[in-house]
Amino acid sequence: MSRHDHGPTSGHTDSPGDGHDHGGHGHAGHAHGVSADADRRWLGIALALITGFMAVEVVIGVVARSLALISDAAHMLTDAASIVLALIAMRLAARPAKGRFTYGLKRAEILSAQANGLTLLLLGVWLAYEAVRRLLSPPEVAGGLMLATALAGIVVNVAATWCLSRANRSSLNVEGAYQHILNDLFAFIGTAVAALIVVLTGFARADAIATLVVVALMVKAGYGLLRDSGRIFLEAAPAGLDPDALGDRLVAQKQVVEVHDLHVWQITSGQAALSAHVLVEPGGDCHAVRRTLGELLRDDYGITHTTLQVDHAPEPVLQVARTGATGEDSHCADSHGPVHRDGPHAH
């Protein structure tokens, strides 16, 4: 686990407002909880378990003529692919930032999460089609062989799920692989129940019904991964963080007159970043304000990648702030996003 701790830096240039322009960038370490090497080790163990059992299950599924077993084997193939993809993404994300990739390749993990979500949805569509076809015309199923294989599959998937639970699931990349294997565990449980019904009652359609239940779980997990990874690619604010409330909190600090051009987004899962233009009252200590805001963002919101441009407020903006006006008068001719001032203002 690596840890970075760069001290804040500031720039000083002339500005038409009052002659001062202070920019600051803060960056602190990121808690990971589990080392990257440990993550790769746990994923490697899970991969070995899954690929070994998958080969056996394909043969048994064909012999037993069980769609549930074959679908489980197909799902395990995507499990294996998701883990391989996660391992590759980890390697790419660990590369240092350089050249044109100023954040490095950290979002390779988010690409992996999107691929995992998409494969869950596509596999779910195919299995749903096959299950409906078998509901209409159910084949004979070897219930005993199906039950024994499903029970063995539960054991293997419990072990693989436990391995991935030991890795850092705050990463969408690892979470994607985890969701694949967890859904496979549910699939084997459903298959075992269906096999028991076939053995006890001869009701062959139980095989297809169990598959449809698993499809519903796969669609739910796949949609969740696509939604969360899509938010990161669209640079939405982290889930649970309201940028308007955050802007109001910043502008309520001492000496701060206005906050605009406020942007907060995620570089990758678990790593949020923020930039903003902050205006302080004439005579205020820009450096002290920047330090205060940086500490607030780090301690209360866990945002350690911060870039704050801090200026003294020009007279027009100061007058608007003092009178509580809600006009569009701002330090920037083209402010991106809402302007936050102390007192009532539009969001």
Side-chain angles (χ1 to χ4, degrees):
M1 179 174 66
S2 64
R3 179 171 177 86
H4 312 281
D5 191 5
H6 302 300
T9 61
S10 63
H12 186 92
T13 60
D14 288 340
S15 168
D18 67 347
H20 293 346
D21 172 54
H22 305 269
H25 174 79
H27 177 88
H30 304 289
H32 186 269
V34 183
S35 72
D37 287 339
D39 281 348
R40 287 191 285 269
R41 183 172 66 252
W42 288 118
L43 265 66
I45 294 172
L47 179 62
L49 288 170
I50 286 170
T51 52
F53 186 79
M54 177 185 65
V56 175
E57 188 181 20
V58 170
V59 176
I60 296 176
V62 172
V63 172
R65 303 184 67 186
S66 167
L67 175 64
L69 285 181
I70 295 173
S71 68
D72 287 341
H75 195 181
M76 291 190 88
L77 178 62
T78 66
D79 293 345
S82 72
I83 294 176
V84 170
L85 195 60
L87 289 168
I88 293 172
M90 281 182 181
R91 291 289 185 184
L92 293 175
R95 292 183 178 180
K98 62 181 179 179
R100 295 179 182 272
F101 296 95
T102 57
Y103 278 128
L105 295 173
K106 293 184 182 298
R107 283 194 176 173
E109 294 192 331
I110 309 305
L111 281 171
S112 171
Q114 281 214 322
N116 284 329
L118 186 59
T119 54
L120 280 170
L121 292 180
L122 293 176
L123 185 59
V125 170
W126 175 71
L127 291 178
Y129 168 77
E130 289 294 328
V132 170
R133 193 169 65 85
R134 290 203 171 200
L135 276 176
L136 298 176
S137 180
E140 291 186 8
V141 177
L145 188 57
M146 178 180 167
L147 178 60
T149 307
L151 292 175
I154 290 174
V155 174
V156 171
N157 272 267
V158 165
T161 302
W162 180 81
C163 286
L164 262 71
S165 71
R166 302 286 294 174
N168 178 32
R169 285 182 53 208
S170 66
S171 163
L172 267 185
N173 179 42
V174 176
E175 179 65 14
Y178 177 82
Q179 286 297 332
H180 263 277
I181 294 179
L182 183 63
N183 275 273
D184 208 20
L185 174 60
F186 293 150
F188 274 111
I189 293 173
T191 300
V193 172
L196 187 61
I197 293 173
V198 171
V199 169
L200 296 178
T201 68
F203 182 60
R205 285 185 172 87
D207 180 54
I209 293 172
T211 302
L212 288 175
V213 172
V214 173
V215 164
L217 296 173
M218 291 169 66
V219 169
K220 180 177 180 294
Y223 169 75
L225 286 170
L226 288 179
R227 178 197 60 211
D228 293 343
S229 59
R231 284 180 58 87
I232 292 177
F233 278 124
L234 293 174
E235 299 198 334
L241 192 152
D242 182 354
D244 284 332
L246 175 58
D248 290 345
R249 179 88 183 276
L250 295 177
V251 83
Q253 302 305 304
K254 291 181 179 180
Q255 303 184 64
V256 178
V257 174
E258 177 181 300
V259 175
H260 58 264
D261 284 353
L262 172 63
H263 303 285
V264 56
W265 69 100
Q266 284 184 278
I267 301 169
T268 186
S269 50
Q271 292 188 19
L274 177 143
S275 67
H277 193 176
V278 180
L279 302 183
V280 303
E281 57 192 32
D285 187 338
C286 290
H287 295 291
V289 168
R290 183 179 54 75
R291 285 194 298 270
T292 298
L293 296 184
E295 290 170 0
L296 183 150
L297 292 168
R298 182 193 64 222
D299 297 340
D300 293 0
Y301 297 92
I303 302 175
T304 53
H305 284 277
T306 57
T307 303
L308 300 173
Q309 179 185 348
V310 184
D311 294 310
H312 287 125
E315 189 60 29
V317 173
L318 192 62
Q319 289 297 328
V320 170
R322 283 173 174 169
T323 60
T326 58
E328 296 301 322
D329 194 0
S330 176
H331 183 64
C332 291
D334 182 21
S335 181
H336 303 285
V339 176
H340 299 271
R341 296 192 180 104
D342 196 13
H345 54 275
H347 282 170

